[in-house]
Amino acid sequence: MNKIIKIILFLAFGFSITPVALLANEKIRIGLLVPLTGKNSEIGQSIIKSTRLAINTINNASIEIIPKDTQSNPEVTLKAAKELANSGIKIVIGPVFNESLIYLSELSELTFLALTNKNDNFSKNIINAGINATSQLNAIKKFIELNEIKKTIFLTPDVGFKNEIEKAISNSKIKILENYIYNTDPTKLTKQIEKITRYEIRKQNLEDEINRLEKSEQSNKELLIERLKKRDTLGSVKFDSVVISDFDESLKSVTTSLLYTDITPKEKYFITLNQWFDESLLKETSSQPLYFPSANKDNYDEFSNEYFEKYNQYPNQLSFLSYDLVGLVYYLILQNESVIDKKMFTKKTLFKGKVGVFEIKNNKINHILNFYKAEDGEFKKVF
């Protein structure tokens, strides 16, 4: 791996970069495609505010962000992108949603840093800059290897992003026993988890052992029976860790079903995907410790506090990402001798921002993430 590029203490540490002489009389114009009207307008407004914070941090008057409204609509997005292209812009941050990308292959002269975390690109001129499933599984793989976990299963909901998980398992080369696809309907979920964990067999094993002891002549059988009656099941499962590829209430439903089948995080590793430090997870004490990959929490908190001080409201996660993308584009332009072209994203580069480390190669962005666990009322950093 290339040595991490130290960005003259750029966004990661809040210092500014002195503008180079070559750019002194030029404008660095970056397009921004976000929903400014409609149901997702709050997301778009938050992203605009975060890009302003990024420009203030860089402290270079030559940078100019040109926002355009997508209305979360593919056709409107294409029209807005054409306007950016006609004005001479070559690099665009956005759009936000995967559905808005479908027509942008028509504008091959533009490079889009889409905020989606999908692995599939619609075109070579679209780079998905969100924290994708492969980046998350790479961090999970590191955790599994550090803890010498040998037997891992995945539990993935039967929803739209299940294909992303399957591809990420392949891309990351993480070793697993099986990826179980489950139905998110609560009336069906528990039965599926029971089958995966051999719950009925293990429950019957316990009853059989108690019956055996009761009929036996063992001198200490009363003590053994008393101990067994405090248990719910008897017997092992075939996994040491379970990766739950889910979020919010659906994630909690899965952990509840695991607990019901006598699988606890004290005996098996409970791992999930990036939860963006969802505070509600800290209340789920029976499901702890719960491990997950994520952006750097210290930087995330610092950014959120700075954003709140400036705008008297808290940002969304996409704002955090867009803040770094402004710095990333600026840095790559400097590295490319102030030439804005597609070569900026083909060279292997490591960029350290507030989110963490961006790994750029062949028009792809992956993130090298940190790892955390929810336990004892706080999020604790693992690595």
Side-chain angles (χ1 to χ4, degrees), residues 133-187:
T134 298
S135 297
Q136 296 177 60
L137 263 60
N138 283 338
I140 292 172
K141 179 183 177 183
K142 179 180 176 180
F143 174 77
I144 286 172
E145 291 174 347
L146 286 173
N147 289 276
E148 299 181 348
I149 300 169
K150 303 299 182 184
K151 295 178 289 185
T152 299
I153 64 169
F154 269 66
L155 299 178
T156 303
D158 191 8
V159 294
F161 64 79
K162 70 177 180 180
N163 293 333
E164 290 292 311
I165 301 300
E166 291 171 349
K167 290 175 185 176
I169 290 171
S170 176
N171 291 341
S172 65
K173 295 182 172 58
I174 189 172
K175 294 180 180 179
I176 68 170
L177 294 177
E178 193 163 351
N179 178 25
Y180 295 97
I181 308 297
Y182 62 85
N183 193 310
T184 56
D185 182 343
T187 62

